[in-house]
Amino acid sequence: APAPAPAPASAPPTNTNTNTNTSSTPASMQEQPGTRFYVLTALSGVGKTYTGDFLQTYFSSCAHIDGDAMLLRRDLVPEYKKIGYDLEKAYHSHWLKNEDAPPGLWQPYYKVLSNRMEEAAKTKEIVVLTQSAYRREARDYLRNLLPGVCFIKLQCDEDILCKGAHQRFIDYAKAHEQTPDELWMQVKYNEKFGDKKCTYENHKKVQKTFLTGFEKFHDDEGKCATVDMSKRDASVLVKICDAMGLQPVAESEIDMKRIKAVNEKRVEDLARERKELERKMATDSS
């Protein structure tokens, strides 16, 4: 069946009670035409990428920009290396500690993301960026680059979030032909958390280090909304459509496996790229 067409692009509200678990859309979010850019922001593991994949899969006029793609490829693509590692430093040395970060660490990365959104907007009516954007300084920077952008925060119960993140770690290891314990050791979590096993309880300790530093939406931030993703079923995707003013998709029409397959391919492609680089390096050194 063809992807449902989106309703006319709608402007988000000037402010949307952003610090509560709301999933309904205020009338002001659907009154003004012209909104094109959205940023889905959330803590790590809530489901930003999955939601972006849903939107691009079910709405032909929507483009999804995966905000982590350059970060994950920082060792594979030379032009991503510096901006990727700098962004990682901004998070670990500043944002996750509830501190603002030097602009030089994160602005170059966000500038590339905004450029990609503008490029996608040439052929798509709605462009969705999925990126955590923990701090207001990052959100304000994107607002200056992309006038009219709306931020939608995805929220989730902590235990559900940690279980999802653990499964994602397992899936990532499988795609790279590793066991979860091997990947755990490779990224040196055993050194930081004192255990060689990637059990759920151990991984939860890791995940909790990423559950800090998110600066709540302020009343004067403007176009923003919040959606509770805790149910982890098709109903939350219907809420996303509502929050964006899109023509709703019936829950019965949403194929969760089809959406998941998009990211599975993304992870497989990344694993293949890494293997190709390793083979090339081995050949060059021989």
Side-chain angles (χ1 to χ4, degrees):
S10 55
T14 299
N15 184 273
T16 311
N17 193 14
T18 54
N19 299 320
T20 61
N21 289 339
T22 178
S23 60
S24 60
T25 308
S28 59
M29 196 165 186
Q30 302 180 15
E31 291 172 354
Q32 303 175 26
T35 295
R36 174 180 297 191
F37 299 117
Y38 291 87
V39 177
L40 302 186
T41 178
L43 295 171
S44 177
V46 171
K48 300 182 295 294
T49 305
Y50 184 89
T51 305
D53 289 341
F54 157 70
L55 292 166
Q56 181 165 280
T57 299
Y58 281 82
F59 294 89
S60 59
S61 63
C62 178
H64 171 209
I65 307 298
D66 176 12
D68 289 338
M70 293 188 294
L71 190 64
L72 293 172
R73 285 175 168 77
R74 61 191 184 277
D75 291 325
L76 302 175
V77 182
E79 54 264 39
Y80 298 165
K81 187 169 185 176
K82 178 172 172 50
I83 63 174
Y85 276 103
D86 281 351
L87 181 69
E88 185 176 55
K89 184 176 180 179
Y91 273 94
H92 289 281
S93 297
H94 300 279
W95 288 347
L96 292 176
K97 298 177 180 179
N98 284 306
E99 302 171 356
D100 285 344
L105 288 180
W106 55 271
Q107 285 189 359
Y109 194 98
Y110 280 90
K111 183 64 170 70
V112 175
L113 291 179
S114 71
N115 290 344
R116 291 188 173 186
M117 293 179 74
E118 290 180 325
E119 184 64 26
K122 294 178 181 178
T123 57
K124 298 292 183 177
E125 295 178 18
I126 297 171
V127 180
V128 175
L129 168 68
T130 53
Q131 211 281 330
S132 51
Y134 272 35
R135 306 295 292 175
R136 176 169 183 170
E137 62 179 357
R139 300 193 294 266
D140 283 347
Y141 182 69
L142 285 174
R143 287 188 180 98
N144 288 332
L145 294 173
L146 303 165
V149 65
C150 172
F151 287 83
I152 299 178
K153 182 184 178 184
L154 310 182
Q155 294 191 159
C156 183
D157 176 81
E158 184 177 300
D159 286 337
I160 294 173
L161 185 159
C162 289
K163 289 177 182 177
H166 183 230
Q167 185 59 53
R168 185 170 63 177
F169 189 90
I170 293 171
D171 293 341
Y172 186 89
K174 181 179 179 181
H176 288 75
E177 299 180 351
Q178 294 176 290
T179 67
D181 290 346
E182 288 172 340
L183 181 58
W184 180 267
M185 298 283 283
Q186 179 182 317
V187 297
K188 302 185 186 303
Y189 284 156
N190 59 306
E191 296 178 8
K192 186 173 183 179
F193 297 95
D195 200 301
K196 297 181 179 180
K197 296 291 184 180
C198 181
T199 64
Y200 167 68
E201 290 302 324
N202 284 337
H203 192 269
K204 186 175 182 179
K205 296 176 186 176
V206 175
Q207 189 63 22
K208 282 193 171 184
T209 66
F210 295 99
L211 303 185
T212 60
F214 194 102
E215 186 176 4
K216 69 180 182 179
F217 290 152
H218 296 266
D219 290 342
D220 63 344
E221 283 198 60
K223 300 177 179 179
C224 47
T226 300
V227 175
D228 187 354
M229 303 287 286
S230 297
K231 290 191 69 175
R232 312 299 264 188
D233 59 17
S235 69
V236 300
L237 300 176
V238 175
K239 292 179 182 179
I240 290 292
C241 293
D242 183 45
M244 294 177 64
L246 297 175
Q247 178 179 318
V249 180
E251 289 184 38
S252 60
E253 296 177 2
I254 298 176
D255 185 342
M256 307 286 280
K257 291 183 179 179
R258 178 186 175 195
I259 303 167
K260 184 178 180 181
V262 177
N263 194 56
E264 288 175 346
K265 183 179 184 304
R266 184 183 289 117
V267 173
E268 290 170 0
D269 288 345
L270 178 60
R272 186 185 67 254
E273 290 176 33
R274 290 190 182 281
K275 289 180 182 178
E276 291 174 352
L277 178 62
E278 290 171 0
R279 284 195 294 267
K280 183 178 184 303
M281 293 175 65
T283 300
D284 292 345
S285 62
S286 62

